[in-house]
Amino acid sequence: AVKTGGYPGSGPTNSNESEEYNGSSWTSGNNINPQRQGHAGAGTLTAGVIFGGTDGTLLNKTEEYDGTNFSNVNNMNTSRNNLSGSGSQTTAIAAGGGTPPITAATELYDGTNWTTVNSMNTARQGMGGFGDSSASVIAGGSAPYKSAVETWDGTSWSTSPATLATARTFFGDCGSGSSTAGLVAGGIIATGVVAITEEYNKSSNVFTAAAFAS
């Protein structure tokens, strides 16, 4: 795994640092450029991509990671932070975020270019997301706190009958998994920070086509 940037909790600036995780320990890696927080990412340890965020100004900047170095590549079409990102370096999807105002805009990345596609039905930021550019799921977000879920089929977004048990926003690292088996954890509700975890499962069973479970 790789973690990049963020707000260190003190001082006037965001971080440009990266760290790699090998299953047992963290090791410092090469820096990203620029320093940023509120960005999203997709991919793997040796083929990753990060995009969006803010360094004091909203960003559309994109960087690819080869396991050693970060390289600036083509920018997103819409600058934003607190967006959702998932997929691979060549099948990434970026959705929502703050521009401001909060946006429903969606873009797909093919490893070279970003393409603006159909927007989500509900504008939101700080949501959990998992999947890729051909099939993806978005859950929760704000404002206000949302439990609504939308699914992406490669062309358009549809509101899902599945909803989160607890409406919330700003999940830890958005979410993880595939469009049929995903996970969101933590987040913020009206009364504060929560440790709630919910799993998403989708099957061809007509009785429970898709659902979240605590």
Side-chain angles (χ1 to χ4, degrees):
V2 184
K3 293 293 289 184
T4 61
Y7 179 62
S10 62
T13 61
N14 301 313
S15 173
N16 63 356
E17 296 176 355
S18 75
E19 295 188 41
E20 294 184 356
Y21 184 66
N22 64 5
S24 60
S25 60
W26 290 91
T27 303
S28 294
N30 288 326
N31 292 344
I32 60 173
N33 180 36
Q35 57 195 29
R36 60 175 104 180
Q37 66 167 318
H39 52 295
T44 66
L45 176 68
T46 56
V49 59
I50 60 173
F51 38 90
T54 178
D55 63 354
T57 301
L58 288 176
L59 300 173
N60 62 357
K61 293 183 179 295
T62 302
E63 297 179 61
E64 289 189 351
Y65 185 61
D66 62 7
T68 303
N69 298 308
F70 289 90
S71 302
N72 289 310
V73 292
N74 289 327
N75 293 337
M76 288 195 299
N77 297 293
T78 301
S79 299
R80 49 184 133 168
N81 69 337
N82 300 326
L83 68 162
S84 173
S86 58
S88 73
Q89 192 182 74
T90 58
T91 64
I93 180 169
T99 51
I102 297 170
T103 183
T106 303
E107 298 184 42
L108 305 182
Y109 184 64
D110 62 7
T112 303
N113 298 308
W114 288 97
T115 303
T116 300
V117 292
N118 289 322
S119 295
M120 293 186 294
N121 295 292
T122 302
R124 56 180 99 182
Q125 65 176 342
M127 58 282 194
F130 35 88
D132 57 28
S133 59
S134 62
S136 187
V137 178
I138 290 293
S142 59
Y145 305 101
K146 300 184 184 299
S147 62
V149 174
E150 296 188 40
T151 58
W152 170 258
D153 64 5
T155 302
S156 60
W157 291 98
S158 301
T159 300
S160 172
T163 58
L164 291 172
T166 302
R168 59 197 196 275
T169 187
F170 293 109
F171 300 91
D173 203 27
C174 291
S176 62
S178 70
S179 62
T180 58
L183 168 69
V184 292
I188 299 173
I189 62 175
T191 56
V193 179
V194 295
I196 298 167
T197 302
E198 296 186 50
E199 291 184 357
Y200 174 83
N201 287 284
K202 178 183 178 181
S203 73
S204 58
N205 186 316
V206 297
F207 299 105
T208 55
F212 272 92
S214 296

